[in-house]
Amino acid sequence: MNFNLQKFSADVKEFRKVNNLTQSEFAGKLELDNHTLVSLFEQGKRAPSKEVFANYCRITGRRSEEYWEATNEMPSAYLMGKIQPADKKALESVLEKIGMREYLFALYDRVNK
């Protein structure tokens, strides 16, 4: 399952505008300290935390199920397509180290049997 950030982003913006709320006012309703997160939500640059999403659903009357989509993609493959090149390189390095560690443990186990 993947969270549909694009739908969430559009719905946040629409709800706020239909209800004539500023980003600061909506942030207050979501129990956020400032409007910056509302701006990031509307731009599709940030997904909400579990608590903020629960507040959003309560305030707007939306159901959480509306924002989840079934997918056949592997989560890491999905992530790799969404991150910046520099972050991708760092993640690949970490995954390579994890793979090397698992290989060494498997090799150690085979030798010591």
Side-chain angles (χ1 to χ4, degrees), residues 99-113:
M100 181 59 73
R101 182 175 175 210
E102 289 174 354
Y103 170 75
L104 291 173
F105 279 129
L107 186 60
Y108 176 81
D109 288 343
R110 201 169 15 163
V111 169
N112 291 312
K113 282 191 175 185

Side-chain angles (χ1 to χ4, degrees), residues 26-91:
F26 194 49
K29 289 185 177 295
L30 292 173
E31 300 177 15
L32 298 171
D33 293 333
N34 62 53
H35 72 281
T36 304
L37 281 175
V38 174
S39 176
L40 292 173
F41 294 155
E42 290 183 359
Q43 294 173 49
K45 293 184 178 179
R46 179 92 183 254
S49 68
K50 185 171 48 171
E51 295 81 15
V52 171
F53 186 61
N55 285 341
Y56 167 80
C57 290
R58 179 181 49 78
I59 291 164
T60 63
R62 303 302 291 251
R63 296 179 30 173
S64 63
E65 295 84 13
E66 296 177 46
Y67 297 95
W68 293 96
E69 302 173 326
T71 181
N72 292 330
E73 294 180 28
M74 294 294 291
S76 59
Y78 178 77
L79 176 64
M80 292 300 276
K82 300 290 183 184
I83 62 176
Q84 298 296 318
D87 294 333
K88 184 185 269 187
K89 191 165 191 78
L91 182 58

